Amino acid sequence: MTMATAAVLFAVLLAAITVAESEYIDYNTTHKIIADKINVHLVPHSHDDVGWLKTVDQYYVGSNNSIRGACVQNVLDSVISALLEDKNRKFIYVEMAFFQRWWRQQSKAKKTKVKELVDSGQLEFINGGMCMHDEATPHYIDLIDQTTLGHQFIKEEFGKTPRVGWQIDPFGHSAVQAYLLGAELGFDSLFFARIDYQDRAKRLKQKTLEVVWRGSRSLGSSSQIFTGIFPRHYDPPDGFTFEINDVSPPIQDDILLFDYNVQERVNDFVSAALAQANVTRTNHIMWTMGTDFRYQYANSWFRQMDKFIHYVNQDGRVNALYSTPSIYTDAKYAANEQWPLKIDDFFPYADHANAYWTGYFTSRPALKGYVRVLSGYYQAARQLEFFKGRNESGPNTDALADALAIAQHHDAVSGTERQHVAADYAKRLSIGYAECPLLNISYCPPSEATLPNQKILVIVVYNPLAWKRNEVVQIPVSTREVFVQDSTGKEIESQLLPLSNATMSIRKQYVKAYIGKSLGEELKYWLAFPVSVPPLGFSTYILSRPERTGRSSTISMVCRSEGSVNNSVEVGQGNLKLLYSADEGKLTHYVNSRNLVTASVEQSYSYYSGNNGTDKDPQASGAYVFRSNGSFPIKSDHQASFTVLRGPILDEVHQQVNPWVSQITRIFKEKEHAEVEFTVGPIPIDDGIGKEIITQFTTTMETNRTFYTDSNGRDFIKRIRDFRTDWDLQVNQPIAGNYYPVNLGLYVQDSSTELSVLVDRSVGGSSLVDGQIELMLHRRLIHDDARGVGEALNETVCIVDNCEGLTIQGKLYLRIDPIGEGAKWRRTVGQELYSPLLLAFTEQDEDKGLHFKKSTFSGIDSSYSLPNNTALLTLQIEEDKDYSVKASVELKKLFPNKKISKVTEMSLSANQERTEMEKNKLVWKVGGSIEKPKVVRGGPVDPAELVVELAPMEIRTFFIFFDLLQTVPEVENHWVM
């Protein structure tokens, strides 16, 4: 080409460009659903973790950005501005913990505009809890509470009731989520992303990603919910993410600029839409337009979606529109399709062959234990707040409620956050606890201080359950010179037990670590004595020096081989006796003389070595993923590690398994279960191997690969080893792939007996061998598992510059019953473990008597106690012949000193009347031949008799209005039964 020719061509090209004009384009974003086309519902969203790599406040304000450039405040500021620019744009928001922070900082004018956006449907609250909670490790009461807190905020500020569940990121999904946190809230649908990779592959082929999920066998079709599983994750299809630093090509529609690509990008859109339509029933598909902490510059997203809606609809092959999950749900319902049925849950979750996310069932066991303890404490504090009257200006339960709410986040109690974030959750819980120290009960010098002359220690024992309890309490004391009486002066038999070496060691180490100084006087004993406490009430006990009486608590007798019969040591003085081998000190038999159960049972400890990954498969065991590299028994070094303590109230067996594993087994005279207190840690890793510690209870029962684990402390779900109900399982990880979350307990059974083990916090568990129960108690690992946290799960405690691995103390509860009789114990004791007796102390002058108006109190009618299968919160149908029946609660006796003027039944989160919720609920069609068991529900409340009827597994929520005084307005209280 000559220079003259080039000049001519350049002139022609320049002339062509100058003829065209660049001008404002009014993008048409008004499109709605079109019946005969594929409708692509674009759902703008931002997934904002309430703490993970950064703390909740750091994420909100955008600090600590060297870890992650995320600022939720920017997201909300930017989204609101973008929505105000175009009335057709939509956005959904989920985490009320963040939205509340933002809302507090807005002007009245801005709040008015936001309320208009909510009223018009441009901004919709989805899920509506304080966080997107985990589904494996929280207790169901915590799930209800955190959701209720968020729903009440939305109701009070906006007058709205969320109608869609949005659990897009939790690592597996529970049955309780389906029926309790879904249908019982009035939700019409539930959406999420994470399911097992094998399950997803089958559902993609069979177009069964969208189902009707029936999580409760007891409540059946009355608590089912339409559930959608995203085809891959909760982000858009490849090529359609538009944060400012994302790499997806934008639509370039200015003809004066290079790289004009409108048709190319429209073709990409249509191709992705048709691909998704091929795995989805009906002509409606959802694109989740967003992912983690997106929309910090919202116009970057909305500008592109405006263009796509405009040009795709001009093209005409598919229909694109701004939408929300509510609009999408209504479109699916209007299609009148029959949907496949899903039962039970979606555990465990794996994202590839060697990556089962079952390690987090146990990760950070100290935080899991702290959350569980303060959850039960919070329920008791709220009761006392009701009895006393709420203190608006002084201490109240609000801070603890907020702290517990965000602790249910799927990167909080799950244990999958960074270490500094875990510390932040614990700090918030501690502050919340300090704000409600049992409200009107003062905490004075601790029980372990030596009582001065002429002083007594008054102990108030509070029972948060609505049935009478007879239990043994244990308090630390530093002297053997103690004497216990009840409030009438009657002597109470008591027993002193020496502290174990492990407990004394932990006490010294951790007090110095967290308080900064060593303790003074050495703690020497646990003082154990029986108490009897009325329902929703307290009893008072007095601890004094025994100078005047000459009587004192019984010192436990220490022995090692006494009671040996046929080379066995028998421990226990009541119906229950445990037999240990005299030579090795190992548990061998469980004997209950009342129900005639005699069973061979052994307990052992082992550890799995954490897999570090290989060049072939770099997957390591970490905070999320459990991947073992072999199992190794932890053996006792010598027989001297076995000690028996005997006394009138309980016997104890102390065992030092190895230098960093020990336990105490307690057998109470009046109980028929054994309590096992374990101490594990510091787990050694100086050999370069991470370790995951387990304990196993082994029997000769023939259990046929079957075991049962609870769902968030409620239903027990049948599990079969190496089996999934929904697909033919390819077994790649026979250990991790058979682990399930355990919140309440795990049991196995054969034709004659059942073995149950209950827990005091969330753990992972399984039955990998017939007749055996296995529970993971603690984990310490040295590699990250590459799931985003970027930190090894290696918890330590430091004093100055000396750091050692975290030591965990926890409890397990063991019982063996005749077949069919274990459910009653699991339910009753499980509720008592969640709501333990609470103790408060005050020191008083001995000669002045008790300075209390009342030494005993019950919040309900003294002649009344709730049915045993009812816990102001009931039981699995057909679990127990006595408990699996309807129960009635008499409100007049529950509130004996108050006149009830009105009772209104509400949804679970109390944000709408139950009758309205039921009237508006969508009824979905289920395909195939399905067994339809009779659904039992409690009837309406009689306005005169005021009796609430409860069916098995049913939770009912009421607003109860009281007439206190003629001059005082009605008071509303929220009670869940």
Side-chain angles (χ1 to χ4, degrees), residues 386 895-903 943 946 959-973:
F386 169 75
F895 305 102
N897 300 316
K898 294 177 171 63
K899 182 180 179 182
I900 298 174
S901 61
K902 186 172 65 172
V903 176
L946 296 178
F959 278 161
I960 300 175
F961 297 84
F962 301 117
D963 280 335
L964 299 182
L965 294 170
Q966 295 298 323
T967 57
V968 179
E970 288 183 334
V971 177
E972 171 191 304
N973 281 276

Side-chain angles (χ1 to χ4, degrees), residues 74-207:
N74 286 350
V75 172
L76 291 168
D77 284 341
S78 185
V79 163
I80 296 305
S81 296
L83 293 179
L84 291 170
E85 289 182 12
D86 184 341
K87 66 180 181 180
N88 297 306
R89 292 173 173 174
K90 298 184 185 299
F91 192 83
I92 63 170
Y93 201 72
V94 175
E95 295 87 2
M96 291 304 104
F98 283 133
F99 196 88
Q100 277 191 351
R101 285 164 166 76
W102 183 83
W103 188 247
R104 287 195 301 263
Q105 300 172 340
Q106 305 311 304
S107 67
K108 289 185 178 179
K110 176 64 75 67
K111 285 183 176 181
T112 298
K113 291 181 179 179
V114 173
K115 287 182 178 180
E116 290 172 355
L117 292 174
V118 173
D119 288 338
S120 70
Q122 279 189 264
L123 176 62
E124 184 174 350
F125 297 115
I126 300 291
N127 231 25
M130 297 297 285
C131 66
M132 187 182 297
H133 55 241
D134 182 41
E135 297 185 36
T137 59
H139 194 276
Y140 74 94
I141 293 177
D142 288 324
L143 299 185
I144 294 171
D145 284 347
Q146 83 87 15
T147 304
T148 299
L149 206 59
H151 282 197
Q152 292 301 310
F153 166 76
I154 295 169
K155 189 70 173 181
E156 290 166 7
E157 295 292 337
F158 301 96
K160 299 294 183 180
T161 57
R163 53 177 296 232
V164 173
W166 191 255
Q167 289 289 111
I168 59 175
D169 198 24
F171 327 123
H173 303 279
S174 75
V176 161
Q177 180 62 49
Y179 79 88
L180 197 59
L181 277 300
E184 296 295 293
L185 291 172
F187 285 174
D188 286 318
S189 58
L190 168 65
F191 297 94
F192 52 74
R194 297 187 188 272
I195 63 169
D196 186 278
Y197 71 103
Q198 294 181 37
D199 192 8
R200 188 190 304 276
K202 180 179 179 181
R203 292 181 183 278
L204 284 167
K205 290 179 182 178
Q206 298 183 348
K207 293 189 177 182

Side-chain angles (χ1 to χ4, degrees), residues 663-675:
Q663 74 173 33
I664 300 172
T665 303
R666 299 186 178 96
I667 303 95
F668 295 89
K669 184 177 181 180
E670 302 299 328
K671 300 291 183 182
E672 295 186 8
H673 65 264
E675 175 183 295

Side-chain angles (χ1 to χ4, degrees), residues 892-911:
K892 291 179 181 178
K893 291 185 177 180
L894 201 58
F895 305 102
N897 300 316
K898 294 177 171 63
K899 182 180 179 182
I900 298 174
S901 61
K902 186 172 65 172
V903 176
T904 303
E905 184 163 9
M906 307 296 290
S907 67
L908 183 66
S909 61
N911 65 348

Side-chain angles (χ1 to χ4, degrees), residues 209-223:
L209 284 168
E210 292 175 321
V211 298
V212 169
W213 189 4
R214 187 175 296 171
S216 171
R217 295 176 186 269
S218 300
L219 300 176
S221 60
S222 71
S223 278

Side-chain angles (χ1 to χ4, degrees), residues 514-557:
Y514 290 105
I515 298 180
K517 62 181 181 181
S518 298
L519 288 172
E521 187 171 358
E522 187 76 20
L523 184 63
K524 296 179 181 178
Y525 302 104
W526 287 108
L527 174 67
F529 59 94
V531 297
S532 180
V533 195
L536 290 176
F538 63 78
S539 296
T540 306
Y541 294 85
I542 304 161
L543 185 65
S544 62
R545 296 171 70 93
E547 283 90 348
R548 291 188 304 172
T549 63
R551 296 190 298 271
S552 189
S553 299
T554 302
I555 302 289
S556 300
M557 182 172 57

